[in-house]
Amino acid sequence: MEKNIDKTSYDALVIGAGIAGGEAALNLANTGYKVLLVDKELSVGGKMIMLSKVFPTLDCSACITTPKVSEISRHSNITIFTGAQASNIRKIGEKEFTARINKQPRYVHIEDCTSCQLCEEACPVSVSDQYQYGLIGRKAAFIPFSICSPKAAAIDIENCTLCGACERACPTNCIDFTMEPEIIDIKVKTVVLATGFKLFDPLDIPRYGYGKFKNVITAMQMEREIAPTRPFNTILRPKDGKVPDKIAYVLCVGSRDASVGNPICSQICCMYSIKQAQLLMGALPMADVTIYYINIRSFGKGFEEFYQQAKGMGVNFVKGKIGRITEKENGNLILRYEDINSGKLQEEEHDMVILSTGVLPNEGISELFEGDTLGLDKFNFIGQSDALAGPSRTSIDGVFVAGTASGPMDIPDSILSAGSASSEAISYLIQHS
Amino acid sequence: MEVEKGKTAKYLREKLGGVPEQAKHNLKEFNSIKKLMLEALKEEDLTVIQLSEKLNMPTDKVFYYLMSLVKYGFVKTGDIDDMDEYYTYKLNE
């Protein structure tokens, strides 16, 4: 049975607690507004908290994200709901929105959990760890990842055998299987959409062999392998645990490709691949790294220098379009490609291939709204009603968009966009107070 | 219904009428692979490929479960071979 909890009021509802949502929430909260920050995941921090380093500065991503996440989590004007989704957002009159928050039970009382991990140790179940992108297992009673916030255990109820081992091991009795889904009806004055993006699923291009050939992985999986909170002791290929020494990147996988329905450039794939190539050359000094590209789009501040730096370090850049990838018996991979400069077909052997997947819009955002229609652009990102004069305004007055929910962009641009959205939201709140 | 703190799993098990079959199957599979791997590593330190041959199991499956056992503290990483390609793995005793 779901419990229906009484209505609560906030000044702003921010949907999505990634770097853009978090920044927008902080700006609003620091100005004195009460914010409800909602995220479907078990932790705030979005995708950025899972990254190794950022380009082009090679600063540690977690070192930037965690203080911000900590500030968000401790801010007296911000209420955070993780494992929760907003729906039924409806504008009532000129000054108010109502919304419904569906909060899934974590089966752990966060405030009592000391994150001692004794539940994790006691849990007999092992399932694929979604926070390590399936590279390794995790328990059904688990801390999502080491720098998650809130730093508290959660129970994966779908895979739990309800043996009670976690409860018996818990020194604070914070595990509670009687928790139920909650429906919380709220009233807010403005809404900021920071729902982020999703990555292209390379299973949709079978000729690259992802899923079939285990040494073909995604850049996000490699991101985990090179992060400080990585799953293995070093870089290893998933087919057989070999330390790779001839690594290939394939750019524009599922972006700039009308045949898979995504004709636009993802804006980040070139640079995150170049970043990873540099980090790999540091982690594996003897490794050869080759990047197969159509065009290198080094358009941002410091990007061209970053690209030249990678070349200087010895990263091999090949202007080539990959036709298909096949696997040899030893797990090595043969890349068949068209050398764009010579127009000839070539083949090259690598022992690991990383697919730099493109950015896609998250689906179902417009369905969150009732009454008014949230406009989308032709690529299904949230439409900006005036991309030049008011880039965070949407088709609904009082609803603003922040970060990659409006289109592909890198981290600094996401933070800028969040600044724009929060400024517009603050201005709206002042005008409608 | 009064539920005793610290014993709530029983409450949910009764409410759901048991444990989902898939969860039971996953646990059974993990336990049997864990047992096989730990027994094989009792005899000697092994690489993923050696363990795969010994257990007659695909290398990628061995790698996934072996790395999980390293994470859970049952197994630890040993030395790398002379070609700097493959690590051996040993029991964490």
Side-chain angles (χ1 to χ4, degrees):
Chain A
M1 264 298 276
E2 290 175 340
K3 286 187 289 189
N4 207 332
I5 292 176
D6 59 337
K7 292 184 180 183
T8 317
S9 294
Y10 300 89
D11 293 311
L13 167 65
V14 179
I15 304 175
I19 193 66
E23 180 74 12
L26 266 181
N27 291 342
L28 282 152
N30 284 337
T31 323
Y33 292 107
K34 272 181 71 188
V35 179
L36 177 63
L37 180 60
V38 173
D39 200 286
K40 64 182 189 313
E41 293 295 334
L42 293 167
S43 170
V44 299
K47 289 189 181 67
M48 186 179 170
I49 205 167
M50 308 304 293
L51 303 180
S52 55
K53 299 200 175 192
V54 295
F55 60 78
T57 56
L58 291 182
D59 287 315
C60 164
S61 181
C63 306
I64 301 166
T65 322
T66 44
K68 195 151 278 221
V69 160
S70 171
E71 197 182 344
I72 295 162
S73 303
R74 288 183 290 105
H75 205 294
S76 57
N77 283 342
I78 302 177
T79 303
I80 301 171
F81 287 167
T82 50
Q85 286 182 285
S87 65
N88 305 84
I89 305 169
R90 178 181 284 273
K91 192 163 188 183
I92 309 289
E94 280 301 301
K95 291 184 179 180
E96 194 174 70
F97 292 85
T98 56
R100 173 160 282 190
I101 310 297
N102 300 281
K103 197 165 181 280
Q104 289 307 307
R106 195 179 180 113
Y107 301 102
V108 171
H109 294 287
I110 291 172
E111 60 282 5
D112 295 332
C113 179
T114 61
S115 57
C116 64
Q117 293 183 281
L118 291 173
C119 57
E120 218 173 73
E121 211 175 286
C123 178
V125 175
S126 179
V127 291
S128 177
D129 186 348
Q130 71 271 40
Y131 295 103
Q132 298 287 7
Y133 290 81
L135 291 168
I136 197 167
R138 63 152 172 80
K139 298 297 187 75
F142 67 112
I143 305 264
F145 50 93
S146 58
I147 51 172
C148 67
S149 180
K151 184 84 186 276
I155 306 293
D156 172 358
I157 206 69
E158 279 179 28
N159 290 296
C160 178
T161 55
L162 300 171
C163 66
C166 54
E167 272 191 299
R168 290 190 291 278
C170 180
T172 63
N173 278 332
C174 69
I175 296 170
D176 183 357
F177 286 96
T178 67
M179 287 175 125
E180 305 224 353
E182 293 174 48
I183 292 176
I184 304 159
D185 290 323
I186 59 163
K187 284 180 181 172
V188 296
K189 294 169 187 162
T190 183
V191 180
V192 177
L193 299 170
T195 45
F197 65 95
K198 65 174 184 180
L199 287 162
F200 177 79
D201 184 353
L203 288 172
D204 291 344
I205 307 182
R207 62 195 165 87
Y208 290 155
Y210 181 75
K212 188 175 169 194
F213 309 139
K214 301 297 176 187
N215 291 332
V216 178
I217 64 170
T218 65
M220 204 58 200
Q221 288 177 308
M222 179 51 83
E223 199 67 47
R224 294 308 307 147
E225 286 215 35
I226 51 182
T229 51
R230 58 185 166 228
F232 318 135
N233 60 321
T234 183
I235 318 295
L236 298 172
R237 58 180 206 174
K239 170 93 176 176
D240 55 9
K242 180 177 180 278
V243 179
D245 59 13
K246 201 171 177 200
I247 302 164
Y249 276 82
V250 178
L251 304 196
C252 299
V253 175
S255 57
R256 300 180 68 196
D257 186 350
S259 71
V260 294
N262 189 31
I264 60 171
C265 170
S266 289
Q267 303 205 19
I268 54 172
C269 315
C270 289
M271 300 317 289
Y272 75 58
S273 304
I274 291 171
K275 173 198 77 178
Q276 288 190 5
Q278 292 191 29
L279 295 175
L280 278 171
M281 295 193 83
L284 306 170
M286 303 305 288
D288 293 326
V289 183
T290 302
I291 294 180
Y292 293 89
Y293 69 98
I294 305 172
N295 303 104
I296 295 292
R297 293 188 161 174
S298 51
F299 56 86
K301 186 180 176 185
F303 287 11
E304 181 61 22
E305 291 82 354
F306 195 59
Y307 170 39
Q308 295 303 332
Q309 179 175 290
K311 275 186 176 174
M313 287 173 73
V315 177
N316 184 27
F317 286 85
V318 174
K319 194 173 174 69
K321 285 179 92 170
I322 306 297
R324 69 167 180 265
I325 298 172
T326 50
E327 188 184 49
K328 288 177 71 179
E329 210 170 301
N330 65 1
N332 285 357
L333 300 149
I334 306 293
L335 270 69
R336 186 175 166 81
Y337 67 97
E338 180 201 349
D339 185 316
I340 295 173
N341 288 333
S342 68
K344 288 183 180 163
L345 286 177
Q346 309 270 13
E347 285 193 349
E348 191 63 46
E349 184 172 336
H350 293 273
D351 57 9
M352 200 170 179
V353 172
I354 293 111
L355 304 178
S356 300
T357 51
V359 167
L360 297 175
N362 270 319
E363 288 150 7
I365 310 299
S366 47
E367 281 81 63
L368 303 182
F369 290 84
E370 289 176 347
D372 296 294
T373 303
L374 182 74
L376 303 178
D377 67 16
K378 61 179 176 177
F379 305 112
N380 288 326
F381 288 96
I382 296 171
Q384 297 157 294
S385 61
D386 189 340
L388 291 176
S392 56
R393 286 182 218 148
T394 68
S395 59
I396 305 173
D397 192 31
V399 177
F400 304 95
V401 60
T404 52
S406 66
M409 64 183 78
D410 63 11
I411 292 165
D413 281 353
S414 289
I415 293 172
L416 272 172
S417 165
S420 163
S422 50
S423 298
E424 292 267 15
I426 290 164
S427 169
Y428 175 87
L429 285 168
I430 292 168
Q431 285 172 44
H432 291 78
S433 61
Chain B
M1 178 182 165
E2 190 70 22
V3 185
E4 195 181 336
K5 217 175 174 185
K7 291 182 181 171
T8 58
K10 193 178 163 212
Y11 156 81
L12 189 56
R13 205 166 49 236
E14 281 169 10
K15 188 182 160 196
L16 298 176
V19 176
E21 283 306 311
Q22 188 59 42
K24 281 198 264 186
H25 172 77
N26 286 347
L27 177 62
K28 208 172 160 186
E29 188 186 25
F30 173 64
N31 280 339
S32 76
I33 292 172
K34 179 172 119 184
K35 194 175 167 204
L36 287 171
M37 285 186 171
L38 297 185
E39 271 171 15
L41 291 172
K42 232 182 237 174
E43 294 163 23
E44 57 182 328
D45 300 353
L46 295 166
T47 64
V48 170
I49 292 177
Q50 289 165 339
L51 197 52
S52 155
E53 284 164 2
K54 200 163 186 171
L55 303 180
N56 195 23
M57 190 184 287
T59 52
D60 58 294
K61 193 171 177 181
V62 167
F63 179 72
Y64 170 81
Y65 280 104
L66 192 60
M67 289 303 108
S68 301
L69 291 177
V70 171
K71 178 179 171 180
Y72 305 149
F74 294 104
V75 174
K76 61 182 178 184
T77 308
D79 299 323
I80 195 163
D81 64 14
D82 294 339
M83 299 294 289
D84 285 344
E85 287 185 335
Y86 293 97
Y87 283 92
T88 55
Y89 296 90
K90 54 175 138 188
L91 287 185
N92 188 15
E93 291 168 317

